[in-house]
Amino acid sequence: MVQPVHSSVPPAGVTDPFPSSGPRRLVHLFSNGLVTLIEGIAAVLLFGEICLLLASVIARYVLHAPIVWSDELAGMLFLWLSMFGAVLALRRGEHMRMTALVSRLTPSTRVFVDTVALTFSIALLAMILIPAYHYADGEAVIVTPALEISNAWRAAALPVGIVLMLVVGFARLLVLGKPTHIVAALAIAAVLVGAFYLLGPTLEPLGKANLLIFFVGIVAFCVFSGVPIAFSFALATFGYLALTTYTPLEVFVGRMDEGMSHLVLLAVPLFIFLGLLIEMTGMARAMIQFLASLVGHLHGGLSYVLIGAMYLVSGISGSKVADMAAIAPVLFPEMKKRGAKEGDLVALLSTTGAQTETIPPSIVLITIGSVTGVSISALFTGGLLPAVVLAAALCFVVWLRYRKEDLSQAQRFSRREIGRLFVVSLPALALPFVIRAAVVEGVATATEVSTIGIVYSIVIGLLVYRRFDPRRFGAMLVEAATLSGAIVFIIGCATAMAWALTQSGFSQDLAALMSKVPGGAWGFLLISIVAFVMLGSVLEGIPAIVLFGPLLFPIAHQAGVHEVHYAMVVILSMGIGLFSPPFGVGYYSACAISKVSPDAGIRHIGGYMAALALGLLIVAAVPWLSVGFL
């Protein structure tokens, strides 16, 4: 799995070893009690969001009496849910991070480096606490339009969440860190902060050279040192704004708030929960068993099933994390029995995440339509064939790698058995069409539609597959809240970094440079591919789209590139960057869900990434694949 912030931290879901000494024992008991309370609140918040959005759909579509304040309340609860989820992710060690270098250290050195990484995270939280408080206090004068209450009720989630993360972080440090390591780590953090503070007057005159120092140098140093990705982004951005600009630091917190408060992101925890529900009710297993009956007996057959299942499940959730969460637990055990290496499995899972970025109802498609004015229905139509091209490229690599796979344990199904499995899987196979129909017919928005999927899955699980364990319901809510908290916190930090890059003039310089690229439409597409692969690996899809979409789509139009075609090229390029190590946060999501170390996947991902790059070039070169059915 993705390595926790401290190497002694047990995997997610496993409690910390009970300390024997008195002070540590008290800290441990206090920490466990606090985390149990936070887990309960997070579960209630997520369940409340599901009920609220479902009630909104019923009121609007069935009763024709929309609840005008539902979106406002949902957004308010979502920020609290995200911050509580981020707290739980820190407690469980589920904030994603890169350990390619750290894992190669000796055990004792690694413990020290992990202690330093956790200390850096705590230092960031301590530095942004006061700005977060002032930001929330400033929001008190704003009255929400529908509920007519102070916006401080929503914004207070930021300082409260930061305080809770500080408490949890310090507790983990005290319980699991060695005293000498803790003292040394605190000293290192203090020296570095002091050094940068003293260098402030020297850094300010450097102008845009500071972009390399902070957004390349510091980010790379923190990421490869094992500091969680979100905290690495935030440290670089906070340092850049504090030391090289006169920007009030409350603005940094405000940009984080903006990134975490997009209502469309509410789809993330809901769809993650839907993915867990699909697995728990047996729907995912039924779907995969049917696909396995068709091709599972072939060399690399289960890998083909993984690619096909990701294509199908993408239509269910629209969230790549939820897609992977629904597929990996079902397929991976059997694939490992056949001798597949876990590194190859997570590499394929990650690249299928990039492959399916254009399959509706994709959150990125919805975002790109909202900020550029491109028809979302056209984007939904145009996104299906490009994903097929990339899937075919991945299948070719699978064929090369698994030509000599041992099939002694593979089962060949008769036509009668395939037909029976098809009938059994039909309710599960129908779910993507139910989801798409609800969106296309206007029954629910892309965010609300997950609640329809949740109700459908519960009904099918109870009545058809008869696999529904209510005892797991609470744990699934907590798991969805924790994972979504880690993801949304990354997006918030990436949004703050994107805003800082915009204020520096970087985005305008990039747009001006790309508009002057020779070669007309083809040159513009090629430079766009390179740029968005890089941006996708650093900024994540939604912030990159919000930042550069309005700037570059008009240039693409002037260059003669169809807007839907350009959208597909941009989204697939960002997807490749998002799921590419060492910076792509989507890759770490795949590792977290697969419970495989990121280091293991890096050794196998090269061939799959090359296939994606080839497929992307084909999509870019053949516009018909994107616009042929419009």
Side-chain angles (χ1 to χ4, degrees), residues 525-545:
L525 283 174
L526 286 175
I527 196 67
S528 294
I529 289 172
V530 174
F532 277 100
V533 167
M534 296 174 63
L535 291 170
S537 67
V538 176
L539 297 181
E540 207 270 339
I542 290 176
I545 281 295

Side-chain angles (χ1 to χ4, degrees), residues 15-101:
T15 57
D16 295 337
F18 197 82
S20 57
S21 61
R24 289 194 174 195
R25 184 173 183 271
L26 292 176
V27 171
H28 178 82
L29 290 172
F30 172 77
S31 176
N32 275 0
L34 178 63
V35 168
T36 300
L37 176 63
I38 295 172
E39 287 178 344
I41 295 173
V44 170
L45 284 173
L46 181 52
F47 184 72
E49 292 278 29
I50 295 170
C51 295
L52 176 61
L53 293 181
L54 182 61
S56 179
V57 172
I58 295 172
R60 184 179 63 250
Y61 191 76
V62 179
L63 304 178
H64 305 290
I67 303 174
V68 295
W69 45 263
S70 61
D71 283 353
E72 193 173 283
L73 180 58
M76 182 179 295
L77 296 178
F78 176 57
L79 186 58
W80 283 95
L81 173 64
S82 299
M83 292 306 296
F84 283 131
V87 175
L88 294 175
L90 183 61
R91 173 62 168 77
R92 294 181 169 204
E94 292 185 3
H95 279 289
M96 293 162 282
R97 69 176 195 149
M98 179 66 188
T99 59
L101 296 181

Side-chain angles (χ1 to χ4, degrees), residues 599-611:
D599 311 332
I602 288 176
R603 303 187 188 98
H604 300 271
I605 203 169
Y608 294 123
M609 280 296 168

Side-chain angles (χ1 to χ4, degrees), residues 310-533:
M310 280 293 290
Y311 192 99
L312 286 174
V313 174
S314 290
I316 296 175
S317 72
S319 165
K320 296 303 148 237
V321 174
D323 301 343
M324 294 185 289
I327 297 301
V330 180
L331 268 181
F332 278 18
E334 183 61 30
M335 296 173 80
K336 288 178 181 178
K337 286 181 182 178
R338 294 196 185 187
K341 298 178 180 178
E342 63 178 15
D344 190 65
L345 296 182
V346 75
L348 180 58
L349 181 66
S350 178
T351 47
T352 55
Q355 165 231 325
T356 55
E357 280 285 86
T358 62
I359 299 176
S362 165
I363 295 173
V364 179
L365 285 177
I366 296 169
T367 303
I368 208 170
S370 65
V371 301
T372 64
V374 180
S375 167
I376 293 179
S377 62
L379 292 171
F380 278 14
T381 302
L384 295 172
L385 273 184
V388 172
V389 173
L390 268 64
L394 291 176
C395 286
F396 178 71
V397 176
V398 168
W399 177 78
L400 287 177
R401 290 190 174 182
Y402 286 90
R403 296 194 308 273
K404 299 179 180 180
E405 180 186 18
D406 180 14
L407 297 179
S408 59
Q409 298 186 33
Q411 179 181 0
R412 182 184 291 271
F413 291 83
S414 66
R415 292 183 179 179
R416 181 185 182 88
E417 291 171 322
I418 293 174
R420 182 183 63 81
L421 289 173
F422 172 71
V423 173
V424 171
S425 67
L426 202 54
L429 293 172
L431 182 54
F433 299 97
V434 172
I435 295 290
R436 287 194 179 100
V439 174
V440 172
E441 297 299 325
V443 176
T445 66
T447 302
E448 296 169 337
V449 76
S450 58
T451 61
I452 296 177
I454 289 170
V455 172
Y456 178 90
S457 300
I458 292 175
V459 171
I460 294 299
L462 288 171
L463 301 182
V464 178
Y465 298 117
R466 297 185 178 181
R467 285 188 55 187
F468 186 86
D469 187 355
R471 294 171 297 180
R472 292 180 56 189
F473 203 77
M476 289 164 54
L477 288 170
V478 172
E479 185 175 349
T482 303
L483 186 53
S484 62
I487 293 166
V488 175
F489 193 69
I490 286 181
I491 294 175
C493 295
T495 302
M497 186 166 70
W499 180 87
L501 287 171
T502 302
Q503 298 306 303
S504 72
F506 170 76
S507 57
Q508 291 83 352
D509 292 344
L510 178 62
L513 178 65
M514 292 177 68
S515 66
K516 298 176 182 178
V517 171
W522 301 114
F524 181 73
L525 283 174
L526 286 175
I527 196 67
S528 294
I529 289 172
V530 174
F532 277 100
V533 167

